[in-house]
Amino acid sequence: MKAFTIHSGIVAPLDRANVDTDMIIPKQFLKSIKRTGFGKNLFDELRYLDEGQPDQDCSTRPLNKEFVLNQPRYAGASVLLARENFGCGSSREHAPWALDDYGFRAVLAPSFADIFFNNCFKNGLLPIVLAADDIDELFRAVESTPGYQLTVDLEKKVVRKPDGVELAFDVDQFRRHCLLNGLDEIGLSLQHAEAITSYEEKRKQQAPWLFV
Amino acid sequence: MAGKTLYDKLWDAHLVRQNDDGSALIYIDRHLLHEVTSPQAFEGLRIADRQPWRLANNLATPDHNVPTTVKERALGIEGIADPVSKTQVQTLDANCEEFGILEFKMGDERQGIVHVVGPEQGATLPGMTVVCGDSHTSTHGAFGALAHGIGTSEVEHVLATQCLVAKKMKSMLIRIDGTLSAGVTAKDLVLYVIGQIGTAGGTGYAVEFAGEAIRGLSMEGRMTICNMAIEAGARAGMVAVDETTINYVKGRPFAPTAEQWDAAVAEWRTLHSDADAEFDRVVVLNAADIEPQVTWGTSPEMVVDVNGKAPNPAQEQDGIKRMAIERALRYMGLEADQRIQDITLDRVFIGSCTNSRIEDLREAAAVVKGKKVAASLKQAMVVPGSGLVKAQAEAEGLDKIFVEAGLEWREPGCSMCLAMNADKLGAGEHCASTSNRNFEGRQGFGGRTHLVSPAMAAAAAIAGHFVDVREWMN
């Protein structure tokens, strides 16, 4: 997995609550058997005016000029600013894959849906929960300042504003460790293979019907 | 010390290792797989040269991409017109063969929607941990199991280690006192709950549904409730084990037999929250307040009684909520204050992992029996959840009732719940659907979904618009 230590980038504001994973990557793009290439279909139904198809050349499709990612001032954005309950709905890991493939490294929101939140960490994408007031203020700052950038420092667990003000955030210690070092969670769990085997032996005595 | 919740008991029984930082390694008894979220996980195993930890805990079936017309299905995999869909199903077959995982393939009578197949086979048992790369895995919690959806990286992790790295969730009790009135079903109950607590109300919680109304439900009804726990934000929903649970499981192909059955039942009877258990949050609702529900908007919490109307954004104080209401009304093509019963429908879909079990089909058939689908409707379809549900329905003559009423009788699969196959809504079309998500574009680009119970969908198919199904009952 890609490591995440410190990242600075342009912030794109997505001003709507309950953005679901169908919205992040519509179902017709889930048919791929690969992990990459979803970026061009990120937010497909919001971003383009026509109905997207898998394996299509997106460069000639009609764009929804109103949509935030199509506005030139947010070109190259790598930090997504979002509202409550971001990533709700389907468990598709294609949602973080699409955000990552597009170039986002971090998502800032007042709250996230659980499954999406988990999936981000496994793909080097950092979801950050900030207080609703701070998010509100960031929306105002981003909208009034073209080229607004934030620095996300996972080592120090802070989001740094251009004026140097820092917003602290919480992150699970184990997940932080994995992200900072780009560690593969399966490899880490397999270090406990003996514990898994001894659990199985014990459980087999208690509930043999689970081991037929 | 307070007693244990059902969730505490399930968690403790599966704890392999507690890490210092609060995360834990949890053992997984049943891993269900389908074609959409597994290919990249198998690819990961191959790249790292890893083998599945315990083959017997895995069970696979294709469901999201399979076509549902009799004609297409007669051709097997070759009947899948979309080449990308076909590749996904072929990839699942190839992966299961390569790694030695049991799969109910297309053409096998046991194939179906993974959340219908697991319980039907007894592959979901009380006291188990059940995961699948699908958020509606919460369904299996109806059996007093700890069941939730996982992402593809976690699918790979479970295949390789038979464990999941997890953090214990908070606990919520949703107690529904009293009994549901006639014509009000499990689907109405869960939509009402989501309307009350919101789509993020359960985020971070494992929810136990309890109370007289839940005890009175069949296993099918309980599965419908737990299925939609995720639409309230809760990854896991669960119901304590009782005689209804045990009677349902008995005799199913994967269920224990003889002495093991007796030992299993003795353990399963302990799978309930202790009387003095404490929950982080308790919500108490009254079943008598629940009427047939219809969603008007683009989130399951945007729901009202069938005799109600769409909201008026002018009456909403909160700016973000007002914007959401305006956007939803625009997408749905509805006016502020429009009566729900005045919405004209284009299609009706009865199916999905929420409502495609035998009891759901019986409920719908009872409503349409001897009547005809409204001429104004473009399509009304019934899609059974598995090959075995289909066979059972046909043995009871339900297929004939549907076909005589003008509904299409299909082959099992996810179908129009999520438009990954040929069954889709056209732009602007309104659909009365027994599925679980009314998100923008979920059932097809520009499609407008209204979530309802099977009985309400059936009545809407006959009337061509929403009606209060209770008025049709004797």
Side-chain angles (χ1 to χ4, degrees):
Chain A
M1 190 179 72
K2 191 160 58 177
F4 189 115
T5 48
I6 185 163
H7 174 79
S8 298
I10 292 180
V11 183
L14 185 62
D15 196 3
R16 67 195 273 170
N18 297 313
V19 168
D20 58 74
T21 52
D22 279 77
M23 212 179 279
I24 297 172
I25 182 85
K27 67 270 150 202
Q28 66 267 36
F29 305 109
L30 309 191
K31 293 177 181 174
S32 164
I33 55 170
K34 301 192 291 272
R35 273 179 195 253
T36 52
F38 295 103
K40 64 185 195 308
N41 300 111
L42 175 71
F43 297 119
D44 199 271
E45 290 180 10
L46 302 173
R47 198 162 144 198
Y48 303 100
L49 295 171
D50 61 345
E51 184 182 359
Q53 300 300 331
D55 296 327
Q56 181 185 18
D57 174 11
C58 291
S59 63
T60 55
R61 292 175 61 194
L63 293 176
N64 173 8
K65 298 261 165 51
E66 303 282 298
F67 184 60
V68 59
L69 297 185
N70 291 329
Q71 297 171 22
R73 60 182 288 195
Y74 300 118
S78 58
V79 177
L80 186 66
L81 184 62
R83 294 286 186 190
E84 291 83 18
N85 200 26
F86 187 84
C88 61
S90 146
S91 63
R92 62 190 67 166
E93 201 155 323
H94 310 67
W97 294 340
L99 287 161
D100 173 68
D101 195 62
Y102 181 88
F104 284 112
R105 297 300 321 274
V107 186
L108 279 51
S111 61
F112 291 89
D114 287 339
I115 299 179
F116 174 82
F117 190 74
N118 277 332
N119 285 341
C120 285
F121 284 100
K122 301 180 194 301
N123 293 283
L125 184 68
L126 180 60
I128 297 174
V129 178
L130 292 176
D133 289 349
D134 289 331
I135 291 285
D136 271 345
E137 204 178 308
L138 286 174
F139 266 100
R140 283 195 294 273
V142 169
E143 274 149 29
S144 61
T145 322
Y148 189 88
Q149 293 209 10
L150 285 171
T151 297
V152 177
D153 187 339
L154 181 59
E155 189 77 54
K156 289 183 68 184
K157 298 194 283 184
V158 293
V159 174
R160 202 169 302 117
K161 297 196 206 179
D163 59 8
V165 172
E166 294 184 339
L167 302 169
F169 63 88
D170 252 350
V171 56
D172 178 273
Q173 196 186 321
F174 175 71
R175 285 171 163 165
R176 177 167 165 269
H177 174 70
C178 289
L179 263 185
L180 284 173
N181 299 290
L183 291 176
D184 166 0
E185 201 172 70
I186 296 177
L188 287 170
S189 293
L190 284 173
Q191 290 176 356
H192 305 302
E194 266 179 43
I196 303 172
T197 308
S198 76
Y199 169 87
E200 283 179 324
E201 278 159 12
K202 194 181 81 194
R203 183 78 174 144
K204 206 168 175 173
Q205 304 300 315
Q206 297 165 339
W209 59 89
L210 294 174
F211 294 85
V212 288
Chain B
M1 209 178 92
K4 284 180 166 190
T5 63
L6 170 58
Y7 176 51
D8 291 333
K9 292 179 184 179
L10 293 168
W11 175 271
D12 292 349
H14 292 88
L15 187 63
V16 172
R17 187 179 188 278
Q18 180 69 54
N19 299 322
D20 298 338
D21 67 350
S23 71
L25 216 50
I26 292 295
Y27 194 77
I28 302 302
D29 297 315
R30 179 64 64 201
H31 183 207
L32 301 166
L33 298 108
H34 62 83
E35 78 278 19
V36 181
T37 53
S38 66
Q40 295 90 347
F42 283 112
E43 188 59 24
L45 287 186
R46 268 191 294 269
I47 291 167
D49 196 20
R50 288 174 175 140
Q51 287 297 316
W53 181 276
R54 192 164 189 277
L55 284 174
N57 292 27
N58 297 283
L59 176 62
T61 193
D63 54 8
H64 288 59
N65 281 281
V66 301
T68 63
T69 64
V70 174
K71 200 174 149 197
E72 290 163 309
R73 284 293 276 274
L75 302 169
I77 284 190
E78 291 311 312
I80 308 178
D82 177 355
V84 197
S85 286
K86 191 197 276 183
T87 303
Q88 241 179 17
V89 175
Q90 283 169 329
T91 305
L92 180 68
D93 287 0
N95 282 328
C96 289
E97 268 163 37
E98 179 187 337
F99 288 97
I101 287 170
L102 177 62
E103 183 196 3
F104 298 152
K105 295 183 184 177
M106 284 178 73
D108 188 320
E109 197 179 36
R110 299 168 294 179
Q111 177 272 339
I113 305 174
V114 70
H115 307 308
V116 175
V117 170
E120 177 176 87
Q121 289 294 321
T124 300
L125 293 173
M128 273 185 166
T129 41
V130 182
V131 296
C132 173
D134 189 286
S135 59
H136 291 113
T137 309
S138 56
T139 308
H140 307 263
F143 289 82
L146 174 56
H148 59 76
I150 55 177
T152 298
S153 294
E154 289 172 317
V155 170
E156 186 181 338
H157 192 281
V158 172
L159 282 168
T161 69
Q162 209 51 54
C163 292
L164 200 61
V165 178
K167 225 172 184 173
K168 200 168 175 192
M169 296 178 261
K170 290 180 285 182
S171 61
M172 186 189 297
L173 177 71
I174 298 183
R175 200 181 78 211
I176 319 287
D177 291 337
T179 52
L180 295 171
S181 350
V184 179
T185 67
K187 182 64 166 288
D188 301 303
L189 193 163
V190 73
L191 285 170
Y192 178 81
V193 168
I194 296 165
Q196 295 292 310
I197 72 170
T199 49
T203 302
Y205 290 94
V207 171
E208 179 177 347
F209 296 97
E212 192 186 352
I214 301 292
R215 296 262 71 85
L217 292 175
S218 65
M219 284 316 294
E220 286 86 348
R222 294 176 191 183
M223 283 189 257
T224 300
I225 304 275
C226 291
N227 173 278
M228 289 194 71
I230 185 66
E231 309 312 331
R235 288 179 77 182
M238 60 192 82
V239 174
V241 172
D242 61 9
E243 290 311 306
T244 305
T245 326
I246 292 166
N247 291 336
Y248 181 97
V249 172
K250 193 168 190 181
R252 300 207 173 250
F254 285 70
T257 52
E259 284 158 31
Q260 293 218 350
W261 170 259
D262 297 333
V265 168
E267 190 188 284
W268 295 344
R269 287 194 200 282
T270 67
L271 296 173
H272 54 79
S273 291
D274 295 333
D276 56 346
E278 284 176 9
F279 291 82
D280 295 306
R281 187 178 168 197
V282 177
V283 174
V284 180
L285 299 168
N286 195 341
D289 295 338
I290 307 174
E291 296 189 37
Q293 303 284 302
V294 181
T295 63
W296 61 266
T298 53
S299 162
E301 69 184 11
M302 294 173 163
V303 65
V304 286
D305 298 344
V306 63
N307 295 305
K309 50 191 188 174
N312 190 331
Q315 287 164 8
E316 176 59 56
Q317 304 296 319
D318 181 299
I320 291 178
K321 282 187 188 151
R322 186 167 55 243
M323 257 168 58
I325 292 173
E326 284 165 354
R327 187 170 353 206
L329 286 173
R330 196 160 53 239
Y331 180 84
M332 294 298 289
L334 300 179
E335 303 292 327
D337 293 324
Q338 183 170 339
R339 272 168 35 92
I340 292 299
Q341 297 193 23
D342 292 342
I343 299 170
T344 309
L345 295 165
D346 300 288
R347 294 182 201 264
V348 170
F349 168 59
I350 298 173
S352 87
C353 59
T354 314
N355 283 127
S356 64
R357 298 180 181 83
I358 189 68
E359 187 180 86
D360 301 315
L361 304 189
R362 286 178 190 143
E363 186 184 307
V367 174
V368 302
K369 190 173 186 180
K371 301 191 177 74
K372 291 283 179 202
V373 166
S376 57
L377 233 54
K378 291 176 188 160
Q379 183 183 42
M381 59 200 279
V382 184
V383 187
S386 71
L388 291 169
V389 169
K390 181 170 184 259
Q392 173 73 29
E394 287 173 356
E396 296 179 18
L398 305 184
D399 58 323
K400 292 201 178 61
I401 295 174
F402 288 125
V403 171
E404 278 164 19
L407 291 99
E408 295 172 28
W409 178 243
R410 295 290 191 99
E411 298 284 325
C414 295
S415 185
M416 205 189 268
C417 175
L418 84 171
M420 277 192 75
N421 44 72
D423 309 334
K424 292 176 195 180
L425 293 185
E429 289 179 349
H430 285 271
C431 178
S433 176
T434 66
S435 55
N436 41 56
R437 288 193 175 131
N438 50 348
F439 299 158
E440 290 182 18
R442 168 83 179 182
Q443 292 193 290
F445 186 73
R448 294 162 170 168
T449 304
H450 300 276
L451 303 176
V452 287
S453 73
M456 283 286 290
I462 302 302
H465 59 89
F466 290 112
V467 289
D468 187 341
V469 70
R470 292 172 300 185
E471 290 165 12
W472 290 28
M473 301 171 72
N474 299 322

